[in-house]
Amino acid sequence: MPKYISIAKAILRYIQDNELEADDKLPSIQVLAEQFDVNKNTIVSALNDLERQGVIYQVRGSGVYVRGNNRKGYINLLNLNGFNSILSQFNIDSKVIGFELMEANEEIAENLKFDLSREDEEHRVYRVYRIRYIEGRPFCVEESFYAKAIIPYLSEDIASGSIFKYISQDLNIDIGYADHYFRVAQLSQEHAEYLNLKKGDPSFYLESVMHLTNGKPFDFSKIVYHYQEAQFFVQGTNTQMGY
Amino acid sequence: MPKYISIAKAILRYIQDNELEADDKLPSIQVLAEQFDVNKNTIVSALNDLERQGVIYQVRGSGVYVRGNNRKGYINLLNLNGFNSILSQFNIDSKVIGFELMEANEEIAENLKFDLSREDEEHRVYRVYRIRYIEGRPFCVEESFYAKAIIPYLSEDIASGSIFKYISQDLNIDIGYADHYFRVAQLSQEHAEYLNLKKGDPSFYLESVMHLTNGKPFDFSKIVYHYQEAQFFVQGTNTQMGY
DNA sequence: CAGTGGTCTAGACCACTGC
DNA sequence: CAGTGGTCTAGACCACTGT
C-alpha cells in the first residue's frame, strides 16, 4: 500500500478516535510531514484523497479542517458497494431469494458490454436476487448480474454475505469505479410484498454498473429501495473546471 | 488558473471535439508532457482531476482511457449547482414565484450554521422560490435560502437566471463544496400544481447545503423534482481506503 | 523487456490568511 | 509578515501490461 494511502487512513482514524467535529482544525502539512517522516508532497496527496472523499476541506493560507457531515440515518450513495466505507455504521444482512447461472439477455449484455454476436465470448452471468435488511428491517430488493468471465465462481452461500468483500478480498480483484443511475418509481406487487409496503407506493430505483480498475464492467445491479428507509447523501467538491 | 487545470480543460475539449467514446485511448503521459511542455507530474495532476470527475480512467502499465458516455437524459447530481458542468446539454429556465429578504428560522439557521443566540450576527437570508423548467417542461420546484452575510445582494431579476453564475462570476465568490441529502416523498397539493402532477404522486426530494472554499455555508436549498423528469446519475471512483 | 502509469523526494516559488 | 496551503519541476524508482 502506498504511503499516502496509509497516511490518509491514519489521519481518518485520528479524526474518528479524537471525535473531531466539523470545522475542527488538523495539524499543518509541515507538521504532518515531520510526524510521518515523509515529504510534504506525500502529505498533500493524502489530504487530497481525504478531501475528495468529503472527509476534510483545505483553506489556503489558513489550514486543514474536518468537513464532517452529516445527518444521521442517511446513507452515502458512493458507499453502497463498499466504496469509501467510512462511517458504514449499519448492520447489513441479506436473504437470497434467487440464485442461478444464466445467459445474459440484451439489457444485461448492454450494461456489461458483452458482444452477443461473438460466439467465443463468455456470456453467462450469475444472477443474485436478494432482500437486504438494515438493522433487521427490509431495506431494498436487489437483482445483480455478475459476469462469469470475471467472477469465475459464486455461490448462494457467498451471496448471503458481502459479495463485495468476497470479490475484493478473496478473489483479490481490483474494483475501479461505478456508474449509478437512479430515479423514482412505483412499486410492483412483488417488490411491495418483499418490502412490507403496498403496490404503487413510491420507491427509489437505482441501477449500478461496477467496473474493474482496467475498465471492464463486471456487475450490473438493479435495486429497489424502501422509500422510508432509503435516505441518501452525496458530497460534492467543486473543481474549477466548470464552463 | 493553474497549469494542470487548463491542461485538464484542454484534454476534455480534445475528447469532446474528437468525439472520443468510452474506452478510447488517450496519448501517454510522456507524450502529453511533451505536447504541453510541462513536467510529467503536472500531467498526472490534470489526469487525476479528470479521473475524479469521471471523464477518464487510468490503467497502470497500459494507458489512459475515456470513461465516457452516460445514458442520455440523466442529470449528473454533482452537476446541479454548477459543479463539474460537463455535459450540461440542457436548456434550463426559471420562473420566480417568491422572493424576499427574511429572518432565518431554526431550520435554515441550523443548515447555514447561524448562531441565533448572537445578536451581532447577520441572520437574514434571501429566500428564492422558483419553478425550474428543462427544455420548457416543469422540472422542479426550488426553495433556496442565501445568507445575506455572504451574498450581500440578490434580486428577482438575477434569480430568474443562473444564481450560481451570478455568485461565482459577478460576485467572484469561490464555491467550495456541497452536501446533498435526498429521499423519496409524496407531493403536496401546491407542488403538484406547479409540476402538473397530482397530489400524492411520488417525488424526488433533495436538500443541499453549499459552502465556500473556506467552509462557510452560504446556501440551503430544498428541491422537489418531477418524478418523470428527474433521472440522475453519479459516478464513483474507488479509493483503496475501504476497511 | 520496452512502454506506461504510480509514487516519492527535494526543493523552489507563489497566493492567501490572520494576527 | 510569518505561517499555511497550492503548484510546479527534475529526477528517481517501482509496478504492471502487453507483445
Side-chain angles (χ1 to χ4, degrees), chain B residues 10-225:
Chain B
I11 294 173
L12 175 60
R13 217 178 309 123
Y14 171 81
I15 292 171
Q16 291 169 334
D17 290 350
N18 294 66
E19 294 178 353
L20 297 193
E21 293 177 2
D23 305 325
D24 282 350
K25 195 171 183 173
L26 293 181
S28 73
I29 291 180
Q30 207 191 68
V31 170
L32 289 171
E34 287 163 7
Q35 281 180 0
F36 287 101
D37 192 30
V38 294
N39 189 273
K40 170 189 167 182
N41 287 326
T42 305
I43 299 294
V44 168
S45 293
L47 293 179
N48 283 342
D49 233 58
L50 290 170
E51 186 170 51
R52 181 157 65 89
Q53 290 172 59
V55 176
I56 60 163
Y57 63 92
Q58 304 184 63
V59 184
R60 181 188 321 229
S62 176
V64 183
Y65 302 88
V66 174
R67 178 157 162 188
N69 299 352
N70 323 291
R71 307 185 188 182
K72 299 234 161 120
Y74 285 75
I75 294 163
N76 191 334
L77 183 63
L78 300 178
N79 223 350
L80 272 182
N81 295 291
F83 282 8
N84 317 332
S85 60
I86 312 153
L87 306 172
S88 65
Q89 71 278 67
F90 301 103
N91 265 331
I92 305 262
D93 207 1
S94 304
K95 182 168 123 193
V96 179
I97 52 179
F99 182 87
E100 56 181 315
L101 183 59
M102 60 178 273
E103 287 291 319
N105 61 26
E106 241 182 58
E107 181 193 24
I108 297 168
E110 188 164 326
N111 282 287
L112 294 181
K113 288 186 193 161
F114 289 171
D115 183 352
L116 289 184
S117 66
R118 288 189 53 178
E119 296 282 343
D120 59 329
E121 208 182 68
E122 170 68 88
H123 292 146
R124 285 178 301 172
V125 293
Y126 284 104
R127 171 177 177 272
V128 177
Y129 193 33
R130 54 184 187 173
I131 307 174
R132 310 204 75 182
Y133 299 87
I134 189 162
E135 305 292 353
R137 302 186 304 274
F139 174 62
C140 68
V141 179
E142 175 192 279
E143 188 178 24
S144 281
F145 304 94
Y146 296 89
K148 173 146 177 53
I150 296 173
I151 312 292
Y153 178 72
L154 209 56
S155 71
E156 197 165 333
D157 186 53
I158 293 168
S160 68
S162 169
I163 298 177
F164 171 79
K165 211 174 201 170
Y166 165 71
I167 290 173
S168 60
Q169 291 182 12
D170 296 328
L171 296 186
N172 203 26
I173 288 176
D174 290 325
I175 298 177
Y177 59 89
D179 295 333
H180 303 284
Y181 305 90
F182 50 97
R183 57 186 166 82
V184 171
Q186 291 179 307
L187 281 180
S188 68
Q189 178 64 35
E190 183 189 359
H191 287 148
E193 278 171 23
Y194 289 137
L195 296 173
N196 291 336
L197 290 171
K198 281 180 298 189
K199 180 181 174 183
D201 274 350
S203 73
F204 190 93
Y205 180 70
L206 172 74
E207 291 189 6
S208 299
V209 181
M210 299 190 64
H211 305 71
L212 304 181
T213 49
N214 66 9
K216 287 206 183 94
F218 70 93
D219 169 39
F220 170 55
S221 294
K222 308 199 277 189
I223 312 184
V224 178
Y225 286 91

Side-chain angles (χ1 to χ4, degrees), chain A residues 91-137:
Chain A
N91 265 330
I92 305 261
D93 207 2
S94 304
K95 183 168 123 192
V96 179
I97 53 179
F99 183 88
E100 56 182 314
L101 183 58
M102 60 178 272
E103 287 291 318
N105 61 25
E106 243 182 57
E107 181 193 23
I108 297 167
E110 188 164 325
N111 281 287
L112 295 181
K113 287 186 193 161
F114 289 170
D115 183 353
L116 288 185
S117 66
R118 289 189 52 179
E119 297 281 343
D120 60 329
E121 207 182 67
E122 170 67 89
H123 292 147
R124 284 178 299 172
V125 294
Y126 284 104
R127 172 177 178 272
V128 178
Y129 193 33
R130 55 185 187 171
I131 307 174
R132 311 204 75 181
Y133 299 87
I134 189 162
E135 306 292 354
R137 301 187 305 272

Side-chain angles (χ1 to χ4, degrees), chain A residues 189-238:
Chain A
Q189 178 64 37
E190 183 189 359
H191 288 148
E193 278 171 23
Y194 290 137
L195 295 173
N196 291 337
L197 290 171
K198 280 180 299 189
K199 180 181 175 184
D201 275 350
S203 72
F204 190 93
Y205 180 71
L206 172 75
E207 290 188 7
S208 298
V209 182
M210 300 191 65
H211 305 71
L212 304 181
T213 50
N214 67 9
K216 287 207 183 89
F218 71 94
D219 170 37
F220 171 55
S221 294
K222 308 199 277 189
I223 312 183
V224 177
Y225 286 91
H226 191 299
Y227 76 104
Q228 289 160 333
E229 302 285 349
Q231 300 192 117
F232 298 93
F233 76 90
V234 168
Q235 294 172 297
T237 305
N238 204 354

Side-chain angles (χ1 to χ4, degrees), chain A residues 42-216:
Chain A
T42 305
I43 298 295
V44 168
S45 294
L47 293 179
N48 283 343
D49 234 59
L50 290 170
E51 186 170 52
R52 181 156 64 89
Q53 291 173 60
V55 176
I56 60 163
Y57 62 93
Q58 304 183 64
V59 184
R60 183 194 306 236
S62 176
V64 183
Y65 302 87
V66 174
R67 177 156 163 190
N69 37 347
N70 23 26
R71 308 187 187 182
K72 299 233 161 120
Y74 285 75
I75 294 163
N76 191 335
L77 182 63
L78 300 178
N79 224 348
L80 272 180
N81 294 291
F83 283 7
N84 318 332
S85 59
I86 311 155
L87 306 172
S88 64
Q89 70 278 69
F90 300 103
N91 265 330
I92 305 261
D93 207 2
S94 304
K95 183 168 123 192
V96 179
I97 53 179
F99 183 88
E100 56 182 314
L101 183 58
M102 60 178 272
E103 287 291 318
N105 61 25
E106 243 182 57
E107 181 193 23
I108 297 167
E110 188 164 325
N111 281 287
L112 295 181
K113 287 186 193 161
F114 289 170
D115 183 353
L116 288 185
S117 66
R118 289 189 52 179
E119 297 281 343
D120 60 329
E121 207 182 67
E122 170 67 89
H123 292 147
R124 284 178 299 172
V125 294
Y126 284 104
R127 172 177 178 272
V128 178
Y129 193 33
R130 55 185 187 171
I131 307 174
R132 311 204 75 181
Y133 299 87
I134 189 162
E135 306 292 354
R137 301 187 305 272
F139 173 61
C140 68
V141 179
E142 175 193 281
E143 188 177 24
S144 281
F145 304 94
Y146 296 89
K148 174 147 176 52
I150 295 172
I151 312 292
Y153 178 72
L154 209 56
S155 71
E156 197 164 334
D157 186 53
I158 294 167
S160 69
S162 169
I163 298 178
F164 171 79
K165 210 174 201 170
Y166 165 70
I167 290 173
S168 59
Q169 291 181 13
D170 295 329
L171 296 186
N172 204 25
I173 288 176
D174 290 326
I175 298 178
Y177 59 89
D179 295 333
H180 302 283
Y181 305 90
F182 51 97
R183 58 188 166 81
V184 170
Q186 292 181 307
L187 281 180
S188 68
Q189 178 64 37
E190 183 189 359
H191 288 148
E193 278 171 23
Y194 290 137
L195 295 173
N196 291 337
L197 290 171
K198 280 180 299 189
K199 180 181 175 184
D201 275 350
S203 72
F204 190 93
Y205 180 71
L206 172 75
E207 290 188 7
S208 298
V209 182
M210 300 191 65
H211 305 71
L212 304 181
T213 50
N214 67 9
K216 287 207 183 89

